[in-house]
Amino acid sequence: MRCSRSFDLLHFDPEIERTCRGLNKERREALQEQQLIMADEALHGNEDARSLRDYVVPTVNGARSSIARPTIQANNFEIKPAIIQMI
């Protein structure tokens, strides 16, 4: 048993190569225009534009070390030889 399906057929293009060249030319022109716009934005100091590397590299401004030395209560202390051997 066959069922009838409605297939959308593509438009027949007798000059497919000419059409392909035309479409490629339009894409190239659009890409060049986009590159010119991006270059113009870069030259005119788009302050908000940052490269991907700027988002990845951590900043160290105001960062403190999470390792803190404990305060020593006594000024005079003795390191025993057993502790030195453990190190």
Side-chain angles (χ1 to χ4, degrees):
M1 183 179 216
R2 293 186 177 195
C3 60
S4 63
R5 291 187 183 172
S6 169
F7 291 107
D8 293 331
L9 299 177
L10 298 176
H11 171 61
F12 176 71
D13 190 2
E15 297 179 357
I16 190 74
E17 292 177 3
R18 179 183 287 178
T19 304
C20 184
R21 281 193 302 266
L23 291 174
N24 285 339
K25 182 179 178 181
E26 289 176 12
R27 284 189 198 125
R28 277 194 307 269
E29 289 172 354
L31 180 63
Q32 287 175 351
E33 183 178 331
Q34 183 181 16
Q35 289 174 345
L36 287 174
I37 291 171
M38 290 173 53
D40 188 42
E41 287 177 356
L43 288 176
H44 286 69
N46 190 355
E47 304 292 327
D48 297 333
R50 293 172 42 182
S51 66
L52 183 61
R53 182 176 185 273
D54 293 337
Y55 289 103
V56 176
V57 175
T59 58
V60 292
N61 297 339
R64 294 181 285 167
S65 176
S66 61
I67 301 172
R69 293 184 180 182
T71 58
I72 298 175
Q73 304 267 334
N75 289 337
N76 299 329
F77 59 91
E78 180 182 345
I79 299 177
K80 297 181 180 179
I83 293 177
I84 295 176
Q85 288 178 358
M86 281 194 280
I87 296 175

